[in-house]
Every structure is written in structure tokens, then in C-alpha cells.
Amino acid sequence: MNRVISVMLALWLPLSAMAETVTLAPVDLTDWKSVFGQVEARDRLPARARLGGTLVDLTVKEGDEVKAGALLGRIVDEKLAFQISAYDAQRASLDAQLANAEAELKRGEDLLARGVTTAQRLDALRTQVDVLKGQIEAVAAQRQVVEQQAAEGDVLAPADGRVLDVPVAKGAVVMAGEEVVLLGGGGIFLRLAIPERHAAALHEGATLPIETPEGEVQGTLERIYPLIENGRVLADVAVQGLSGRFVDARVLVRLPMAARPALAVPRAALITRAGVDFVAVETAAGLALRTVLPGEPQVIGGVESVEVLSGLQPGDRIRTDGATAAAEITAAEGAGHD
């Protein structure tokens, strides 16, 4: 038996020398509240119809990525084609009148050179030519206006982004100013709606843990809106690398509410036996196990820790390596029984 005890002591004495002992002192722990944040596009830009008419072409669908100025659809107003034809007819008539007036002016100049006609008659012919040229220019300008109106039937992307919604279908009749395509661009952020009783705990620049389908990431609270709507405060959270595949998707965000003093031990210090948790405490009589009630896990100084709700008090000296401490206590108990 003495040989067995000697072997056990030889095993735990080196471990005991390596074990770290710390003195418990209160630390500030943060209470967190979980809320849902909604993925939002920074800019929601509607591509609107600039012309009333029939949507004869629609080149995009929900989810498509587009560049600024890209053609999204085309609207046609058939009346514009008739107006252009009418201006073309007016132009042809005026061109014929101008050709005749210029011929009359040429004959008048020849007659004046021979002294057959008067200078007054020649001035009237010149005036008639100038009037017809002005009318032709006016008709050309009016035709350009109608051509510009027809060109405004092209629905263009106002910015780079993703197509979020297409509320109309090909063949629909749309009015000027009506939304044809809704784009989301300018990046992605999270929009929070927080109960107003927690507004005082919010601070711009705070780092918030966010649970996404890809894993937990960190976000920064970048804006808190001063207007409270329906008992809720709106806030924006910037998240690096947040996926914008699903706009308006909801993700879980944890908000720091308050800080309070508490006792915490490293997770490795816990010893679990028969469903009961213990911590090894150094006392005047030696190393002893003390029953504790653990709380929520915490990360303190980069170390995985557990809050201790009861069983310990400030000033207690505990072993941070529960497995080593348990082996030491077991060996000591075996030696005592012998």
C-alpha cells in the first residue's frame, strides 16, 4: 500500500507545482439583451418611369446585379410616333415652300438687275424666305422634343445595386413617375428597433456581437436616431462583410445593457462530480472542494470563464486547473485513509 501511495504522490506533486492559484476579486460583468436586427440596404433607389405608356420590355428580375445607367426596361407611348410623323409632314411642306420662295427670290434678283422689278418687292421675297427658314427650325426643335420624350421611355438604373423588387410586369400600362424597379445599393447594414426603456444604455461606437448564418461577427453601433416611434428607438449597426443576399432578413444582435460586479472563475477550474459543481479552494487546512452554483459563461480577458452565483467569496484562493486539483485531493484522501 505504501508503494501505491508513493506512486500517487509522485504523479500529483509535479502537477500541483504547475497548477496556478488565483485570489478571487469582483470583476465587472456586462448584462446582455438579445434583439433582432434587420438587414437593410443603405440606399433604396426606385427606378421610375419618366414617360407614361406601355411597358414593352423588362430586362431584369429580382436578385439581379446591375450597374448605374443599365437599361432595365422600355416604355412606349404610341402617340409620340404619330406626333413625329406629323412634324415630318410639316417639315416636308415647309421645305417645298422654301424651295419655291428661294426660286422666287432668285428670279426677283435677276429682274432687279435688269430694272424690271423694285427693291421693295425683292425685300418681301427675302422676308418670306427667312420666315420659312424660321418655321422649319421651329418644327425641327419640336420634333427633337418629342424624340427626347420617346427616349425617356428607357428605364435606367440610378446606381449600382441589386434588384430588390419589380412591382410591374411586361405589358403593363404605367404612369410617369411610377416605380418600375426597386434597387438596393450603397452597402448593407443592420437596423435595430429597441424598446425605449433601454435607450439610455445605448452608446454610439459600442461593439456588438452578431449571430449570422456564417457564424458570430462583430458590429459597431454607428447611429442612434433621436426620434422614438411606437415606443422604440431606431439604431444602425455597421457590420464588416455582412451578406446582402437577403435584404430584410433578421439576425440576432446582443446589446450591452449594464455592468455589475460579480465573481467569476476560469471554466477549467470547475470540477463536476455526480452532477454537482465544485471549485478547489486553498484553506488553512489544505486544499478543499467547495460546492458552487455556476451562472452564465463569460469571456474575461480572453479567457473562457463562468460566473459563480454562490459558494465563493472575495479573497478565496482557488486553483484554476480543476483536473489537477481534483487529482491532488484524491491522492491526499488516499494517503489519509492509509
Side-chain angles (χ1 to χ4, degrees):
M1 178 62 70
N2 291 333
R3 180 176 179 81
V4 173
I5 294 174
S6 298
V7 171
M8 293 177 63
L9 291 174
L11 289 174
W12 68 258
L13 281 174
L15 294 176
S16 176
M18 296 172 57
E20 182 182 357
T21 302
V22 297
T23 302
L24 278 185
V27 295
D28 289 334
L29 297 183
T30 301
D31 288 330
W32 300 86
K33 177 178 177 59
S34 296
V35 298
F36 278 105
Q38 187 165 288
V39 178
E40 296 275 0
R42 291 194 177 276
D43 302 318
R44 290 202 178 197
L45 303 172
R48 299 186 182 276
R50 297 176 292 172
L51 174 71
T54 303
L55 185 64
V56 298
D57 194 13
L58 189 62
T59 60
V60 295
K61 62 183 183 301
E62 289 84 350
D64 288 349
E65 293 280 353
V66 298
K67 296 293 185 180
L71 181 66
L72 307 180
R74 188 164 60 91
I75 300 170
V76 172
D77 185 355
E78 296 180 354
K79 299 189 299 296
L80 299 181
F82 295 129
Q83 291 181 21
I84 291 175
S85 298
Y87 287 129
D88 289 341
Q90 290 183 31
R91 174 66 181 269
S93 175
L94 291 173
D95 285 341
Q97 294 180 46
L98 178 61
N100 183 62
E102 288 177 340
E104 288 289 337
L105 178 60
K106 184 66 174 65
R107 285 193 294 270
E109 290 174 346
D110 292 341
L111 293 174
L112 182 62
R114 295 198 298 268
V116 177
T117 187
T118 63
Q120 183 180 5
R121 171 62 180 165
L122 189 63
D123 291 339
L125 292 175
R126 288 197 182 99
T127 301
Q128 185 178 2
V129 170
D130 292 340
V131 169
L132 288 173
K133 287 182 178 179
Q135 291 178 350
I136 290 174
E137 291 178 357
V139 170
Q142 291 173 345
R143 188 182 191 279
Q144 288 179 350
V145 170
V146 178
E147 287 177 343
Q148 179 61 33
Q149 290 178 344
E152 290 178 353
D154 292 344
V155 182
L156 305 178
D160 296 349
R162 181 189 295 272
V163 177
L164 301 181
D165 188 25
V166 183
V168 296
K170 181 178 178 181
V173 176
V174 296
M175 303 296 292
E178 186 174 346
E179 182 180 299
V180 178
V181 175
L182 178 62
L183 295 178
I188 298 296
F189 71 101
L190 282 180
R191 171 65 54 81
L192 305 180
I194 305 161
E196 61 181 309
R197 66 180 180 274
H198 300 307
L202 302 178
H203 301 283
E204 293 184 358
T207 300
L208 308 179
I210 300 169
E211 296 181 14
T212 68
E214 294 78 18
E216 183 171 304
V217 297
Q218 300 293 320
T220 303
L221 187 62
E222 65 174 12
R223 180 181 301 176
I224 301 173
Y225 292 88
L227 180 62
I228 296 179
E229 298 180 351
N230 298 322
R232 292 187 174 271
V233 178
L234 297 181
D236 294 343
V237 180
V239 185
Q240 187 71 24
L242 181 64
S243 173
R245 181 182 179 188
F246 298 107
V247 176
D248 287 346
R250 299 200 305 166
V251 297
L252 200 61
V253 181
R254 289 192 293 148
L255 300 177
M257 292 291 101
R260 56 182 175 81
L263 295 179
V265 298
R267 180 184 291 274
L270 287 182
I271 304 169
T272 302
R273 292 181 175 179
V276 180
D277 294 309
F278 301 88
V279 171
V281 180
E282 290 186 352
T283 66
L287 197 62
L289 291 181
R290 187 173 296 174
T291 306
V292 296
L293 179 62
E296 294 293 326
Q298 306 281 342
V299 177
I300 302 174
V303 178
E304 292 188 8
S305 305
V306 177
E307 180 184 2
V308 176
L309 302 179
S310 66
L312 298 177
Q313 60 185 358
D316 284 343
R317 292 175 54 80
I318 67 167
R319 289 287 183 86
T320 58
D321 190 340
T324 302
E328 183 178 343
I329 293 173
T330 300
E333 289 176 349
H337 289 313
D338 183 69

